[in-house]
Amino acid sequence: MWLRILFLCSCTLLSHLSFAGERPKIGLVLSGGGAKGAAHIGVLKVLEANHIPVDYIAGTSIGAYVGGMYALGYSADEIEAIMMKTDWAEGYSDTIPRQQLSYRDKQFRDQFNIPFKVGYSDGEVKTPKGLLQGQTMSQLLLDSTNLVHQFGCFDQLAIPYRAVATNLVTSEAVVLDSGSIVAAMQASATVPGALQPAQINGKLLVDGGIANNMPVDVVKAMGADIVIAVDIGSPLMDKSQLDGTVAVLNQLSTFLTNASTERQKKLLTDTDILIRPAIDDLSTTDFSIMAKALPLGIEAANKQLKKLVQLDVGEVEYQAYVTNKHQLSKQWTNDIDRPLIAINYDNLSKVNKSLIKETLGLNIGEVVDKKTLDAAVDRVYALNKFERVDTRFVDTPNGRELTIVTRGKSWGPNYFNLGFSWEDDFSVESAIALDFAYTLTDLTDTGGEWRNEVALGNDKRMMTEFYQPLDMDQIFFSKANLEYTVDNWNIYSDSGRITQFDRTATKLDLGLGWNFIQQGFMELGVTGELGYIENENIPASADFNSYGAYIKFGYDSLDSISFPTQGNRVTIQVYLRNEDLSHRFDADHFSVQVEGDWKGALSIGNHAFVGKASFATVSKDGEFTIHQSDLGGFLNLSGFHKNSLVGAHKVFGAFIYQYDLGRDALGMTDYPLYLGSSIEAGNVWDLKQNVKFNDLIYAGSLYVGTDTSMGPAALGFGVSDKGEKAFYLFIGKNF
């Protein structure tokens, strides 16, 4: 294997040497510096304008990316176009967009909103090796390189190339010279602690800047006679700037990178050229500064023009050099348009291969482009079962072979989850909820899960559920759910809370279901419930029990549960029960309970229009049912206290307008800032014969809010035509 790689490298290297002829061979070194790496493009523009060829390239971190793109055959202008149109900030989030999740995972994320990655297995608590796993960044890099195949040696590129990473175990520099150029680029730029270490050839690799931020020695070892080195490293901060933990940690990191750069500078001779752009005041993490960094690279290179022009090979020879680069790059770019002859699965997880194959949705004989591959990888990653989903191509005389690498979550397969929300209307009491979950996954070949939940706060709940997919593709499932709940029914008047009913119940559901699409499900089952109702003013409790059957339907394609801009969410539940109540109420009666909810959204630019509707009724001969519905609270008859209106029959509708002020007017990119208003109407009734639409209560609200990775946060004011008014504060609360 290694002899074959060595042979390929030698043959390709000889072809580069023969083209270079007798002239001195020029090596380009591009250092690390994050977003300031756009300055490297400026340097490349000056080299191209002055007919200066590059025979070897070595880079670290962002330098490995720019250098790799140039080595593949892209021009400086092409690299600029790709870098400037890419949203690099997206690469620093591996969160699966809500609309891509399955229905079940959507509901789970809405409840457990804290991004808390902790698991348990093999007798120990586990966490990821980085805050991010690098999934999105890998896809951005893959798109940049246009799905090129793996290389037996990077000397096969249009320009021989090396990327430098750091061995996390030994702290030594690792020179990457073969394999996936995307993996090499990403390994070289993997910030330790922030990103999961890359695994290549059995080594854990992180950012090369720690060991060698400006690899002059590497490009000299490749055969360069003259080195052009570009230093975009960060300067040390002065005493006044060291005002916090983050600043101190950044300073320590700069110690390491600068020390390695200084060692490399000592290897430069009088014939070599060092270019240092004036980028000291620019951020390494704010990619919006790239447009400022690029001209600084041009300016710095032009300051060295007197030495650079001595490397000018003339118009004719330079055009021959460019033509040779293009011819070499065609050897792999032409293969991109060839059909797949095989799809291989390197499954490093417990997820069944059949599910991965079905979700991927690619077929042999198909020509795969970037858009198609991205969509396929997104579908597999959205299963929410993998740490990373990677791809690699191998080109053969008959066509392309694609390998899908699925790596299970290293902190699994058993996970802890945490949810928190706080709601306050500044009047009676706050509603605080704290949710815990512990889920054991992959318990069966088809992906069985055992989930246990505890909810603390105003309403209390304990639940255990076993969810068993019945087929390899997880289309059909069975479910057993046992839960214990304590709910509060608060009755209010203008002067405040009058009284409270406490409903304590134990419930068992056994169901069979069908995931008819990723966003939706149907379920049939049987249900049983027993418990009691207490009131603070009544000494004795009222016991109850019920049993029967149910059917549930759910569909959810919303991009956000609280501030949606597109999609719909529909839930319908029908229960057929026999309710057995104690003598304080009616005798046992058969009842039919129907509940339906809808929420939908569409947007035009930064303007979103949201609709809500809900309906509930219980068909029962008697005058009381233990299965009640409620209204009241923000965007649920705003102005009223939360759940202050209770009855067996409910009708509600709302129209909501929200304007994304943050993205439209304030230039906010990380999180939106919404200004919204609503018009609402609805009511509840105890008895069906009392339902009258002229009894509808009308309400409205104004609010400002944002949607974060930890759920929504909002401040609003609501008022009703009954004179009810309330301010609302939400943190991590879905509404």
Side-chain angles (χ1 to χ4, degrees):
M1 174 66 177
W2 289 108
L3 289 175
R4 181 173 177 271
I5 292 176
L6 182 61
F7 175 75
L8 288 171
C9 289
S10 301
C11 292
T12 312
L13 190 57
L14 286 173
S15 69
H16 286 286
L17 292 177
S18 63
F19 176 79
E22 296 301 321
R23 67 173 176 79
K25 295 179 287 295
I26 300 169
L28 179 64
V29 178
L30 303 179
S31 67
K36 296 182 288 187
H40 290 321
I41 303 174
V43 174
L44 291 175
K45 284 177 175 286
V46 174
L47 297 183
E48 290 180 346
N50 290 278
H51 303 150
I52 300 170
V54 174
D55 301 301
Y56 308 102
I57 297 179
T60 296
S61 197
I62 191 66
Y65 171 75
V66 177
M69 295 291 287
Y70 204 61
L72 281 168
Y74 290 96
S75 68
D77 287 342
E78 289 170 330
I79 299 172
E80 177 186 3
I82 292 170
M83 283 191 69
M84 294 304 178
K85 76 176 183 181
T86 300
D87 186 356
W88 295 103
E90 285 187 2
Y92 290 91
S93 173
D94 287 329
T95 301
I96 302 169
R98 186 182 187 276
Q99 61 267 35
Q100 293 181 11
L101 291 169
S102 68
Y103 183 93
R104 179 175 167 84
D105 283 342
K106 284 185 179 78
Q107 315 318 306
F108 188 74
R109 181 191 287 184
D110 292 342
Q111 179 182 356
F112 297 94
N113 56 303
I114 306 298
F116 182 68
K117 295 180 179 178
V118 176
Y120 181 83
S121 63
D122 303 323
E124 60 179 321
V125 175
K126 296 181 178 180
T127 59
K129 296 183 178 69
L131 296 176
L132 299 172
Q133 280 63 63
Q135 175 68 26
T136 308
M137 183 61 76
S138 177
Q139 287 183 256
L140 291 179
L141 296 176
L142 189 66
D143 287 348
S144 296
T145 59
N146 201 17
L147 313 188
V148 296
H149 61 223
Q150 294 207 117
F151 294 93
C153 178
F154 289 156
D155 287 340
Q156 294 174 283
L157 301 179
I159 303 172
Y161 163 76
R162 301 290 185 269
V164 177
T166 300
N167 188 322
L168 186 59
V169 176
T170 66
S171 78
E172 297 174 342
V174 176
V175 179
L176 300 170
D177 59 5
S178 63
S180 165
I181 192 169
V182 169
M185 290 174 175
Q186 189 166 13
S188 183
T190 296
V191 180
L195 291 166
Q196 185 93 348
Q199 298 185 44
I200 299 179
N201 298 328
K203 297 177 181 177
L204 291 178
L205 303 180
V206 294
D207 197 304
I210 298 171
N212 191 348
N213 198 48
M214 195 174 71
V216 174
D217 58 341
V218 174
V219 83
K220 282 181 175 287
M222 294 172 72
D225 299 311
I226 297 174
V227 174
I228 301 172
V230 186
D231 177 17
I232 60 167
S234 299
L236 293 172
M237 290 180 282
D238 59 33
K239 184 178 179 180
S240 63
Q241 295 172 300
L242 298 173
D243 55 359
T245 303
V246 174
V248 171
L249 291 175
N250 287 338
Q251 185 84 326
L252 294 174
S253 176
T254 305
F255 284 163
L256 296 173
T257 55
N258 286 5
S260 70
T261 298
E262 291 302 317
R263 290 193 297 270
Q264 293 298 310
K265 285 180 180 179
K266 294 178 181 179
L267 302 177
L268 297 173
T269 66
D270 293 340
T271 59
D272 298 325
I273 301 170
L274 176 64
I275 299 174
R276 171 69 184 179
I279 41 71
D280 288 358
D281 295 331
L282 299 183
S283 169
T284 60
T285 57
D286 182 5
F287 285 89
S288 67
I289 60 93
M290 289 195 300
K292 298 178 181 178
L294 193 150
L296 294 177
I298 295 175
E299 180 183 331
N302 282 330
K303 288 182 179 180
Q304 298 289 338
L305 202 55
K306 186 175 181 180
K307 296 182 71 174
L308 287 172
V309 294
Q310 298 177 27
L311 305 177
D312 185 340
V313 296
E315 175 71 22
V316 175
E317 185 175 343
Y318 187 75
Q319 288 305 316
Y321 161 80
V322 172
T323 300
N324 183 63
K325 279 177 55 181
H326 289 165
Q327 291 298 323
L328 288 170
S329 66
K330 285 181 180 179
Q331 295 178 14
W332 57 84
T333 55
N334 287 345
D335 288 332
I336 291 172
D337 296 327
R338 302 172 71 202
L340 296 177
I341 62 169
I343 302 176
N344 305 311
Y345 297 88
D346 187 4
N347 185 18
L348 306 176
S349 74
K350 293 184 178 181
V351 179
N352 193 278
K353 174 185 168 182
S354 174
L355 177 60
I356 300 172
K357 182 178 179 180
E358 181 70 20
T359 307
L360 185 70
L362 298 179
N363 301 301
I364 293 174
E366 184 176 356
V367 175
V368 177
D369 58 17
K370 291 188 292 185
K371 184 177 180 180
T372 302
L373 185 64
D374 278 348
V377 170
D378 284 345
R379 287 193 297 269
V380 175
Y381 189 62
L383 291 173
N384 202 22
K385 299 176 182 294
F386 305 109
E387 181 173 288
R388 285 279 296 271
V389 178
D390 293 314
T391 59
R392 55 176 182 253
F393 287 95
V394 174
D395 288 308
T396 72
N398 298 322
R400 313 203 82 190
E401 292 187 8
L402 170 64
T403 298
I404 307 296
V405 184
T406 45
R407 190 179 301 276
K409 296 178 180 179
S410 59
W411 61 99
N414 307 321
Y415 307 98
F416 294 99
N417 296 95
L418 181 64
F420 171 78
S421 65
W422 175 29
E423 177 180 351
D424 202 326
D425 61 11
F426 303 99
S427 58
V428 180
E429 59 185 12
S430 298
I432 297 175
L434 187 61
D435 296 288
F436 300 91
Y438 179 60
T439 306
L440 292 80
T441 69
D442 298 324
L443 297 176
T444 64
D445 291 340
T446 55
E449 293 183 358
W450 181 20
R451 180 174 297 165
N452 300 276
E453 299 179 11
V454 175
L456 303 175
N458 296 68
D459 295 326
K460 300 171 179 59
R461 183 173 69 99
M462 292 189 295
M463 186 275 288
T464 184
E465 175 185 277
F466 192 82
Y467 180 86
Q468 174 60 56
L470 300 177
D471 60 310
M472 293 300 182
D473 295 335
Q474 299 190 357
I475 296 175
F476 299 98
F477 65 87
S478 64
K479 187 172 73 174
N481 180 295
L482 176 65
E483 65 176 25
Y484 172 82
T485 59
V486 178
D487 299 323
N488 299 322
W489 295 345
N490 293 310
I491 308 301
Y492 293 90
S493 70
D494 293 342
S495 60
R497 183 168 66 87
I498 300 174
T499 188
Q500 173 180 297
F501 287 93
D502 294 327
R503 180 181 184 275
T504 302
T506 301
K507 181 181 178 183
L508 174 65
D509 287 349
L510 301 174
L512 293 173
W514 171 34
N515 295 313
F516 58 92
I517 56 174
Q518 184 188 31
Q519 298 94 343
F521 84 105
M522 291 185 67
E523 183 181 336
L524 297 169
V526 295
T527 182
E529 184 178 24
L530 58 87
Y532 56 90
I533 298 174
E534 292 180 307
N535 178 264
E536 55 193 353
N537 298 318
I538 301 175
S541 63
D543 299 330
F544 68 85
N545 66 74
S546 68
Y547 58 90
Y550 66 84
I551 180 171
K552 296 180 180 180
F553 169 88
Y555 172 84
D556 190 344
S557 63
L558 290 178
D559 57 350
S560 168
I561 188 63
S562 296
F563 298 107
T565 59
Q566 60 182 1
N568 289 275
R569 183 176 187 269
V570 179
T571 62
I572 299 172
Q573 300 182 100
V574 179
Y575 287 90
L576 292 81
R577 302 187 182 93
N578 189 79
E579 297 185 19
D580 185 7
L581 307 175
S582 69
H583 65 277
R584 291 184 175 274
F585 304 106
D586 300 313
D588 55 323
H589 286 286
F590 178 78
S591 68
V592 178
Q593 180 184 11
V594 180
E595 295 181 335
D597 288 278
W598 167 77
K599 189 174 190 177
L602 61 87
S603 60
I604 301 174
N606 291 296
H607 306 272
F609 306 92
V610 183
K612 288 180 65 176
S614 61
F615 167 81
T617 187
V618 181
S619 176
K620 186 174 184 295
D621 295 336
E623 295 184 354
F624 182 83
T625 175
I626 57 174
H627 301 102
Q628 301 280 318
S629 297
D630 48 56
L631 269 177
F634 181 57
L635 300 183
N636 288 287
L637 279 187
S638 300
F640 284 84
H641 300 288
K642 178 183 176 177
N643 300 340
S644 59
L645 303 174
V646 180
H649 310 279
K650 177 180 76 171
V651 174
F652 175 76
F655 173 78
I656 303 163
Y657 165 74
Q658 62 188 33
Y659 166 55
D660 192 345
L661 173 69
R663 290 195 175 101
D664 190 31
L666 303 179
M668 299 169 63
T669 56
D670 291 340
Y671 299 110
L673 179 64
Y674 294 111
L675 294 180
S677 62
S678 69
I679 301 173
E680 309 158 35
N683 206 345
V684 298
W685 297 268
D686 289 324
L687 301 177
K688 192 172 185 178
Q689 57 265 33
N690 293 338
V691 175
K692 297 178 182 178
F693 285 98
N694 57 8
D695 287 340
L696 289 179
I697 300 169
Y698 296 91
S701 71
L702 296 172
Y703 64 88
V704 59
T706 185
D707 216 351
T708 74
S709 59
M710 296 178 64
L715 179 65
F717 172 75
V719 61
S720 77
D721 65 345
K722 299 295 184 182
E724 301 285 343
K725 303 174 187 176
F727 283 94
Y728 299 99
L729 173 66
F730 299 89
I731 297 176
K733 172 68 178 177
N734 301 314
F735 44 81

